[in-house]
Amino acid sequence: MTEQLKTRREREKQARYDTILDAAERVFSEKGYERTSMDDIARTASLSRALLYVYFKDKAAIQRGIMLRAGHSLSDRFRNARQTADTGLEQIRAMGESYYRFYMEEPDYFSALTKASTAMAEADEAQAEEMLCSKSELMGLMTEAIELGLKDGTMNRQRIHSPEQTALYLRGALHGTILLCQSEASESNGNFPAESLIRHTMDMLTSSIAASS
């Protein structure tokens, strides 16, 4: 009975945690992070302000919780992308394309992850560890695909000295291009050929690590 009660309380705690993050996502999207107060989040979640502080010490901690959600969402996309391809090189390309879709379909989550490294420095120990694990999971999925590419012969062993370093290079290069597209699109009223540039970037990145034909 005690174990059942503990399990029920844990489920209730998790449900309330999720309710707070759901509410925060809505309010941040409507009002923006800076203009949102803890009272706004508490009202939207139908919770007292005191109870809100039991779960999160401040607005920044709530934002870090959303960053964790974003990381889990992207990890799911990467895992699904890998399952659509057989070779390491094809998996990397599929993951790159899924990263662009993540930006297009979940722009708030993409924006949250862009700020995650800075936010991690301000997190408490437990939350920082969760964020680090989430980041490691993302990089691990890419590293595994690169290791597969080296094993199956679709990637160039002379150019890839470290799968981990190559994963960072690929993600950093694509992330930078996406940010460039975001900036250019806002300046050109949406007329910038973002998808064409992303595809060109993917072609360039995959050719830079592909095995010589």
Side-chain angles (χ1 to χ4, degrees):
M1 180 66 179
T2 304
E3 190 63 33
Q4 288 178 340
L5 183 61
K6 181 181 177 183
T7 302
R8 189 180 73 197
R9 284 178 176 168
E10 287 174 349
R11 283 199 304 267
E12 290 172 350
K13 184 177 180 181
Q14 184 62 48
R16 197 166 285 129
Y17 178 91
D18 289 336
T19 295
I20 292 169
L21 292 185
D22 288 343
E25 284 186 24
R26 285 200 302 276
V27 185
F28 288 164
S29 180
E30 291 167 5
K31 299 183 66 173
Y33 177 79
E34 295 298 335
R35 293 175 58 198
T36 297
S37 68
M38 291 291 274
D39 284 335
D40 292 329
I41 297 169
R43 277 195 302 272
T44 305
S46 300
L47 297 173
S48 69
R49 197 166 185 267
L51 187 55
L52 180 62
Y53 277 105
V54 170
Y55 286 83
F56 295 96
K57 66 176 184 177
D58 54 25
K59 190 172 63 171
I62 295 176
Q63 176 72 334
R64 288 191 291 270
I66 293 172
M67 290 172 181
L68 278 168
R69 276 189 168 184
H72 294 322
S73 176
L74 184 55
S75 291
D76 288 342
R77 285 174 179 265
F78 276 11
R79 270 190 293 271
N80 292 336
R82 285 191 65 192
Q83 291 172 4
T84 67
D86 295 324
T87 70
L89 190 64
E90 289 171 344
Q91 286 184 9
I92 280 293
R93 184 172 190 107
M95 291 164 78
E97 290 172 350
S98 74
Y99 193 46
Y100 180 62
R101 288 196 298 274
F102 174 70
Y103 158 68
M104 293 295 291
E105 296 167 9
E106 301 184 88
D108 289 343
Y109 277 0
F110 178 85
S111 178
L113 278 188
T114 299
K115 304 167 187 170
S117 295
T118 303
M120 198 184 302
E122 301 170 0
D124 60 35
E125 186 176 348
Q127 207 173 32
E129 185 175 349
E130 280 189 275
M131 293 175 76
L132 185 60
C133 287
S134 178
K135 181 180 179 181
S136 297
E137 182 179 18
L138 284 168
M139 297 312 298
L141 288 165
M142 292 186 69
T143 300
E144 287 170 11
I146 293 167
E147 289 170 345
L148 175 62
L150 292 172
K151 185 177 179 180
D152 65 26
T154 57
M155 293 190 189
N156 193 319
R157 286 188 174 275
Q158 281 68 47
R159 290 185 176 178
I160 300 174
H161 303 292
S162 164
E164 293 83 4
Q165 194 175 62
T166 302
L168 281 170
Y169 151 69
L170 292 171
R171 185 179 172 192
L174 184 57
H175 185 81
T177 302
I178 291 173
L179 290 179
L180 174 65
C181 289
Q182 189 178 45
S183 174
E184 292 291 336
S186 65
E187 292 177 9
S188 62
N189 297 318
N191 294 322
F192 186 75
E195 190 160 341
S196 175
L197 179 58
I198 292 295
R199 299 225 170 263
H200 176 65
T201 301
M202 288 303 305
D203 288 341
M204 296 292 285
L205 290 174
T206 52
S207 66
S208 73
I209 58 171
S212 302
S213 55

